[in-house]
Amino acid sequence: MTERLIGDRYRLATILGQGGMGQVWTAYDQRLDRRVAVKLLRPDKVAGPGSVADELRRRFVRECRVTAQVDHPGLVTVHDAGSDGDELYLVMQYVEGTDLADHLAGRHPYPWTWAVSVIAQLCSVLSAVHAVPIVHRDLKPRNVMVRPDGTVLVLDLGVASVMDTDTTRLTSTGSPIGSPAYMAPEQAMGGAVGPHTDLYALGVVLYELLSGNVPFAGSTALGVLHRHLYEAPLPVRPSRPDVPQQLEALLLRLLAKDPQDRPGSAQEVYAALAPLLPHRGSGAPAGELDPTRPFLRPQAPWPDRATVIPPRPATPPTRPDVPAAVEEAKKLLDQGLLAQAVDILGGILPAAAEQHGEHSAVVRSLRKQYAATLMDDGQFRRALPELRRLAEEFPAGDPRALRFRYDAAQCLEQLGEPAAALAEYRSLLPLFENHYANPDPGLPLEVRRRIAHLLLSLGDRPAAHDTLSRLLFDAERLHGPAHPFPAEVRRTLHWLSQVR
């Protein structure tokens, strides 16, 4: 144990692991006398000025806040978060057990009923995670724990974001975040990711549990990603004839190259696995870490979880003091307390509309702040209708309406609706290219970049390549070749040229 105290409360004990973003320690909560896990963001990754450091800090805060929103027994509980000197920290529940990679290594062949039980539990977790919405981006056995009671826990949403395709900008090489062996084709190409991306990784994990190996391996990351893009996985039944045919059929659907050919949701995968799960009286658990044990009654995801909309804040008292509430919301925003600010802004909107009128400038300003705060807090599903309502307040060609539509398109992108987002960006592009409707010359370039990334996520690489090639020419002419924007476009084109 070290003598270091984090946040004047958590004493570090032993290091559990480390990666590109930082370290994870066992620690003791001095106040409540309990063991916890503490994740530290490496100081050399955030020290010093610059947009990259600021973005890393923002991403870490987003990770803490959004992870804490997900209420599911298959995820670690977030206890606390904050900063200690130059370091950022996240305090989580400490979990006993073994990670799935070690669990698999100690048992060969891995019973197919165990594999089904693990994947079904992961489906339950992903159903809750995708409803926020969060995309994990790096689901793999090392990020899954099997507890002594047989339950499966996803340990780390550390590289997850709120469906933020811009996360790829944070890596030093411009490469997408994730592990190559488990990376979906659209993620490998730097396209927009969504729940379908996690389902592909889920298929890789299932393949590994059944066969003992990942479907695509290689000596280099680029070689592995190339195989994900162009090679079909070998069936598992020739070497594992005990594996049910319907399980292999589901596995191959999960590993489809085109996201549209995969199952539609984690719930759909769970429904396909349900007939194969162990039933009451089918046999006693084989060991201490038997993942079939929780399935006296399968831990099904909530039936409406994939489409549930978080409830709006409770109705505030009659005729609240709107100016005072707005001032309080501003103070909370200055402190970074977005969830509380969201509740206040959403709660006073009905009263403000009653006092000033639904279409008044006061209500419009409140609604704009409410929508912006929802987006900052990662609540894109709630922000989307507010932005659409704001856009309808202005004539179709008004610059303010276009900006609200642009924000709404970003929400669609983050919610995993690439086709709808692509259609909206395409309809906005000619309007943004009109100088009178949009005085910002850089915005059309950003829209074109988003269009290219969505084309990649939908599997249309030729169109994405063409869009990026034209974009690079215009971006270099506007910003110069050394500017970060054309440099990013150039990296994506270079990647495309290697894997095409």
Side-chain angles (χ1 to χ4, degrees), residues 6 20-24 37-43 45-46 52-68 78 80-84 86-92 156-162 164 167 170:
I6 297 295
M21 284 291 289
Q23 300 175 329
V24 179
V38 175
K39 179 176 180 179
L40 296 175
L41 193 64
R42 286 171 51 183
K45 291 290 184 181
V46 297
V52 173
D54 292 338
E55 183 68 7
L56 283 168
R57 289 180 178 275
R58 185 199 64 80
R59 178 174 142 207
F60 185 85
V61 172
R62 170 72 62 83
E63 170 195 337
C64 300
R65 181 180 298 119
V66 177
T67 302
V78 175
D80 196 7
S83 60
D84 187 273
D86 290 332
E87 290 184 299
L88 302 172
Y89 66 85
L90 172 65
V91 183
M92 302 165 287
D156 187 15
L157 293 179
V159 296
S161 65
V162 192
D164 185 0
T167 303
L170 301 182

